[in-house]
Coordinates of all heavy atoms in Angstrom, one line a residue:
T1 N -72.4 -17.3 -222.9 CA -72.3 -18.7 -223.3 C -72.2 -19.5 -222.0 O -73.0 -20.6 -221.9 CB -71.0 -18.9 -224.1 OG1 -71.1 -18.2 -225.3 CG2 -70.9 -20.4 -224.5
I2 N -71.5 -19.2 -221.0 CA -71.4 -19.9 -219.8 C -72.8 -20.0 -219.1 O -73.3 -21.1 -218.8 CB -70.5 -19.3 -218.8 CG1 -69.0 -19.4 -219.3 CG2 -70.6 -20.1 -217.4 CD1 -68.0 -18.7 -218.4
F3 N -73.5 -18.8 -219.0 CA -74.8 -18.8 -218.4 C -75.8 -19.7 -219.2 O -76.6 -20.4 -218.6 CB -75.3 -17.3 -218.4 CG -76.7 -17.3 -217.7 CD1 -76.7 -17.2 -216.3 CD2 -77.8 -17.0 -218.4 CE1 -78.0 -17.1 -215.7 CE2 -79.0 -16.9 -217.8 CZ -79.1 -16.9 -216.5
Q4 N -75.8 -19.6 -220.5 CA -76.7 -20.4 -221.2 C -76.5 -21.9 -221.2 O -77.4 -22.7 -221.2 CB -76.7 -19.9 -222.7 CG -77.3 -18.5 -222.9 CD -78.8 -18.5 -222.5 OE1 -79.6 -19.3 -222.7 NE2 -79.2 -17.4 -221.8
N5 N -75.2 -22.3 -221.4 CA -74.8 -23.6 -221.6 C -74.4 -24.4 -220.3 O -74.3 -25.6 -220.3 CB -73.7 -23.8 -222.6 CG -74.2 -23.2 -224.0 OD1 -75.3 -23.3 -224.3 ND2 -73.2 -22.7 -224.7
G6 N -74.1 -23.7 -219.3 CA -73.6 -24.3 -218.0 C -72.3 -24.9 -218.1 O -71.6 -24.7 -219.0
P7 N -71.9 -25.7 -217.1 CA -70.6 -26.3 -217.1 C -70.3 -27.2 -218.4 O -71.2 -27.9 -218.8 CB -70.6 -27.1 -215.9 CG -71.7 -26.6 -215.0 CD -72.8 -26.1 -216.0
L8 N -69.1 -27.1 -218.8 CA -68.7 -27.9 -219.9 C -68.6 -29.4 -219.4 O -68.4 -29.6 -218.2 CB -67.3 -27.5 -220.5 CG -67.3 -26.1 -221.1 CD1 -65.8 -25.8 -221.5 CD2 -68.2 -26.1 -222.3
E9 N -68.7 -30.3 -220.3 CA -68.7 -31.8 -219.9 C -67.3 -32.1 -219.2 O -66.2 -31.5 -219.7 CB -68.7 -32.7 -221.1 CG -68.8 -34.1 -220.8 CD -69.1 -35.0 -222.0 OE1 -69.8 -34.5 -222.9 OE2 -68.6 -36.1 -221.9
G10 N -67.4 -32.6 -218.0 CA -66.2 -32.9 -217.2 C -65.8 -31.8 -216.3 O -64.9 -32.0 -215.5
M11 N -66.5 -30.6 -216.3 CA -66.1 -29.6 -215.4 C -67.2 -29.5 -214.3 O -68.3 -29.9 -214.5 CB -66.2 -28.2 -216.2 CG -65.2 -28.2 -217.3 SD -63.5 -28.3 -216.8 CE -63.3 -26.7 -216.0
D12 N -66.8 -29.1 -213.1 CA -67.7 -29.0 -212.0 C -68.5 -27.6 -212.0 O -68.1 -26.7 -212.6 CB -67.0 -29.2 -210.7 CG -66.2 -28.2 -210.3 OD1 -65.7 -27.3 -211.1 OD2 -65.8 -28.2 -209.1
R13 N -69.6 -27.7 -211.3 CA -70.5 -26.5 -211.2 C -69.9 -25.4 -210.5 O -70.0 -24.3 -210.9 CB -71.9 -27.0 -210.7 CG -72.9 -25.9 -210.7 CD -74.3 -26.4 -210.4 NE -74.3 -27.0 -209.1 CZ -74.6 -28.2 -208.8 NH1 -74.9 -29.1 -209.7 NH2 -74.6 -28.6 -207.5
S14 N -69.2 -25.7 -209.4 CA -68.8 -24.6 -208.6 C -67.6 -23.8 -209.3 O -67.6 -22.6 -209.2 CB -68.2 -25.1 -207.2 OG -67.2 -26.0 -207.4
G15 N -66.8 -24.5 -210.0 CA -65.8 -23.8 -210.8 C -66.4 -23.1 -211.9 O -65.9 -22.0 -212.2
T16 N -67.4 -23.6 -212.5 CA -68.0 -22.8 -213.6 C -68.8 -21.5 -213.0 O -68.7 -20.5 -213.7 CB -69.0 -23.7 -214.3 OG1 -68.3 -24.8 -214.9 CG2 -69.6 -23.0 -215.5
L17 N -69.4 -21.7 -211.8 CA -70.0 -20.5 -211.2 C -68.9 -19.5 -210.9 O -69.2 -18.3 -211.0 CB -70.8 -20.9 -210.0 CG -72.1 -21.7 -210.2 CD1 -72.6 -22.3 -208.9 CD2 -73.2 -20.7 -210.7
W18 N -67.8 -19.9 -210.4 CA -66.7 -19.0 -210.1 C -66.2 -18.2 -211.4 O -66.0 -17.1 -211.4 CB -65.5 -19.7 -209.4 CG -64.3 -18.8 -209.2 CD1 -63.1 -19.0 -209.8 CD2 -64.3 -17.7 -208.3 NE1 -62.3 -18.0 -209.3 CE2 -62.9 -17.2 -208.5 CE3 -65.2 -17.1 -207.5 CZ2 -62.5 -16.0 -207.7 CZ3 -64.8 -15.9 -206.8 CH2 -63.4 -15.5 -206.9
K19 N -66.1 -19.0 -212.5 CA -65.7 -18.4 -213.7 C -66.7 -17.4 -214.3 O -66.4 -16.3 -214.6 CB -65.6 -19.6 -214.8 CG -65.0 -19.0 -216.1 CD -64.6 -20.3 -217.0 CE -63.9 -19.8 -218.2 NZ -63.6 -20.9 -219.1
L20 N -68.0 -17.7 -214.1 CA -69.1 -16.8 -214.4 C -69.0 -15.6 -213.5 O -69.2 -14.4 -214.1 CB -70.5 -17.5 -214.3 CG -71.7 -16.7 -214.6 CD1 -71.6 -16.0 -216.0 CD2 -73.0 -17.5 -214.3
A21 N -68.9 -15.8 -212.3 CA -68.7 -14.6 -211.4 C -67.6 -13.7 -211.8 O -67.8 -12.4 -211.7 CB -68.5 -15.1 -210.0
N22 N -66.5 -14.2 -212.1 CA -65.3 -13.4 -212.6 C -65.7 -12.6 -213.9 O -65.3 -11.4 -214.0 CB -64.2 -14.2 -212.8 CG -63.4 -14.5 -211.5 OD1 -62.6 -13.7 -211.2 ND2 -63.7 -15.6 -210.9
H23 N -66.4 -13.2 -214.8 CA -66.8 -12.6 -216.0 C -67.8 -11.4 -215.7 O -67.7 -10.3 -216.2 CB -67.5 -13.5 -217.0 CG -66.5 -14.3 -217.8 ND1 -65.6 -13.8 -218.7 CD2 -66.2 -15.7 -217.8 CE1 -64.9 -14.9 -219.2 NE2 -65.2 -16.0 -218.6
L24 N -68.8 -11.7 -214.8 CA -69.7 -10.7 -214.4 C -69.0 -9.5 -213.8 O -69.3 -8.3 -214.0 CB -70.8 -11.2 -213.4 CG -71.6 -12.3 -214.1 CD1 -72.5 -12.9 -213.0 CD2 -72.4 -11.9 -215.3
Y25 N -68.0 -9.8 -212.9 CA -67.3 -8.7 -212.2 C -66.5 -7.8 -213.3 O -66.6 -6.6 -213.3 CB -66.3 -9.3 -211.3 CG -65.4 -8.3 -210.5 CD1 -66.0 -7.5 -209.5 CD2 -64.1 -8.0 -210.9 CE1 -65.2 -6.6 -208.8 CE2 -63.3 -7.1 -210.3 CZ -63.9 -6.3 -209.3 OH -63.1 -5.4 -208.7
T26 N -65.8 -8.5 -214.2 CA -64.9 -7.8 -215.1 C -65.8 -7.0 -216.2 O -65.3 -6.1 -216.7 CB -63.9 -8.7 -215.8 OG1 -64.6 -9.7 -216.5 CG2 -62.9 -9.2 -214.9
D27 N -67.0 -7.5 -216.4 CA -67.9 -6.8 -217.3 C -68.6 -5.6 -216.6 O -69.4 -4.9 -217.3 CB -69.0 -7.8 -217.8 CG -68.4 -8.7 -218.8 OD1 -67.3 -8.6 -219.3 OD2 -69.2 -9.8 -219.2
G28 N -68.4 -5.5 -215.3 CA -68.9 -4.2 -214.6 C -70.2 -4.3 -214.0 O -70.8 -3.3 -213.7
L29 N -70.7 -5.5 -213.9 CA -72.1 -5.7 -213.2 C -71.9 -5.3 -211.7 O -70.8 -5.5 -211.1 CB -72.6 -7.0 -213.4 CG -73.4 -7.4 -214.7 CD1 -72.4 -7.4 -215.9 CD2 -74.2 -8.6 -214.6
T30 N -73.0 -4.9 -211.2 CA -73.0 -4.6 -209.7 C -73.1 -6.0 -209.0 O -73.5 -7.0 -209.6 CB -74.2 -3.8 -209.3 OG1 -75.4 -4.5 -209.5 CG2 -74.3 -2.5 -210.0
C31 N -72.8 -6.0 -207.7 CA -72.9 -7.2 -207.0 C -74.3 -7.7 -207.0 O -74.5 -9.0 -207.1 CB -72.4 -6.9 -205.5 SG -72.2 -8.4 -204.5
E32 N -75.3 -6.9 -206.9 CA -76.7 -7.3 -206.9 C -77.1 -7.9 -208.2 O -77.8 -8.9 -208.2 CB -77.6 -6.1 -206.6 CG -77.4 -5.6 -205.2 CD -76.2 -4.7 -204.9 OE1 -75.6 -4.2 -205.9 OE2 -75.7 -4.7 -203.8
E33 N -76.6 -7.4 -209.3 CA -76.9 -7.9 -210.6 C -76.2 -9.3 -210.7 O -76.8 -10.3 -211.2 CB -76.4 -7.0 -211.7 CG -77.2 -5.7 -211.8 CD -76.5 -4.7 -212.8 OE1 -75.2 -4.6 -212.8 OE2 -77.2 -3.9 -213.3
A34 N -75.0 -9.4 -210.3 CA -74.3 -10.7 -210.4 C -74.9 -11.7 -209.5 O -75.1 -12.9 -209.9 CB -72.8 -10.5 -210.0
R35 N -75.4 -11.3 -208.3 CA -76.0 -12.2 -207.4 C -77.2 -12.9 -208.1 O -77.4 -14.1 -208.0 CB -76.5 -11.5 -206.1 CG -77.2 -12.4 -205.1 CD -77.6 -11.7 -203.9 NE -76.3 -11.4 -203.1 CZ -75.8 -10.2 -202.8 NH1 -76.4 -9.1 -203.3 NH2 -74.7 -10.2 -202.1
E36 N -78.1 -12.0 -208.7 CA -79.3 -12.6 -209.4 C -78.9 -13.6 -210.5 O -79.5 -14.6 -210.6 CB -80.0 -11.4 -210.0 CG -81.4 -11.8 -210.6 CD -82.2 -10.6 -211.1 OE1 -82.1 -9.5 -210.4 OE2 -82.8 -10.7 -212.1
L37 N -77.9 -13.3 -211.2 CA -77.6 -14.2 -212.3 C -76.9 -15.5 -211.8 O -77.1 -16.5 -212.3 CB -76.5 -13.4 -213.3 CG -77.2 -12.4 -214.2 CD1 -76.2 -11.5 -214.8 CD2 -78.2 -12.9 -215.1
L38 N -76.1 -15.4 -210.7 CA -75.5 -16.6 -210.2 C -76.5 -17.5 -209.6 O -76.4 -18.7 -209.8 CB -74.4 -16.1 -209.2 CG -73.1 -15.6 -209.7 CD1 -72.2 -15.3 -208.5 CD2 -72.4 -16.7 -210.7
Y39 N -77.5 -17.0 -208.9 CA -78.4 -17.8 -208.3 C -79.3 -18.4 -209.4 O -79.7 -19.6 -209.2 CB -79.3 -17.0 -207.3 CG -78.7 -16.9 -205.9 CD1 -77.7 -16.0 -205.6 CD2 -79.2 -17.7 -204.9 CE1 -77.2 -15.9 -204.3 CE2 -78.6 -17.7 -203.6 CZ -77.7 -16.8 -203.3 OH -77.1 -16.6 -202.1
D40 N -79.6 -17.7 -210.4 CA -80.3 -18.3 -211.6 C -79.6 -19.3 -212.2 O -80.1 -20.4 -212.5 CB -80.7 -17.1 -212.6 CG -81.6 -17.5 -213.7 OD1 -82.2 -18.6 -213.5 OD2 -81.8 -16.8 -214.6
A41 N -78.3 -19.1 -212.5 CA -77.5 -20.1 -213.1 C -77.4 -21.4 -212.2 O -77.5 -22.5 -212.8 CB -76.1 -19.6 -213.4
D42 N -77.2 -21.2 -210.9 CA -77.1 -22.4 -210.1 C -78.4 -23.1 -210.1 O -78.4 -24.4 -210.1 CB -76.9 -21.8 -208.6 CG -76.7 -22.9 -207.6 OD1 -76.0 -23.9 -207.9 OD2 -77.3 -22.9 -206.6
G43 N -79.5 -22.5 -210.2 CA -80.9 -23.1 -210.3 C -81.0 -23.9 -211.5 O -81.4 -25.0 -211.6
R44 N -80.5 -23.3 -212.6 CA -80.6 -24.0 -213.9 C -79.6 -25.3 -214.0 O -79.9 -26.2 -214.7 CB -80.0 -23.1 -215.1 CG -80.9 -21.9 -215.3 CD -80.1 -20.9 -216.2 NE -81.0 -20.0 -216.7 CZ -81.2 -19.8 -218.0 NH1 -80.7 -20.6 -218.9 NH2 -82.0 -18.8 -218.4
W45 N -78.5 -25.2 -213.3 CA -77.5 -26.2 -213.4 C -77.6 -27.3 -212.4 O -76.6 -28.1 -212.3 CB -76.1 -25.6 -213.3 CG -75.8 -24.6 -214.4 CD1 -76.5 -24.3 -215.5 CD2 -74.8 -23.6 -214.3 NE1 -76.0 -23.2 -216.2 CE2 -74.9 -22.8 -215.5 CE3 -73.7 -23.4 -213.4 CZ2 -74.0 -21.7 -215.7 CZ3 -72.9 -22.4 -213.7 CH2 -73.0 -21.5 -214.9

């Protein structure tokens, strides 16, 4: 949901990227997989 919808109204992008990074970590993605998704999300947002 975070990846698809981006930051909620009133929330900043960096905090949302940090939240996404934490979810990716706890979901067991590798650092390389997370890097790809974070850069993609950043470009979208």
Side-chain angles (χ1 to χ4, degrees):
T1 299
I2 294 172
F3 182 77
Q4 292 296 324
N5 298 329
L8 297 174
E9 188 172 329
M11 301 298 291
D12 69 344
R13 187 171 59 243
S14 62
T16 303
L17 285 166
W18 175 246
K19 188 173 185 177
L20 177 59
N22 275 276
H23 282 294
L24 298 173
Y25 178 78
T26 58
D27 285 348
L29 276 73
T30 66
C31 186
E32 292 75 25
E33 292 167 329
R35 178 178 287 112
E36 185 176 325
L37 290 170
L38 285 177
Y39 276 81
D40 188 10
D42 183 46
R44 291 167 169 247
W45 303 344

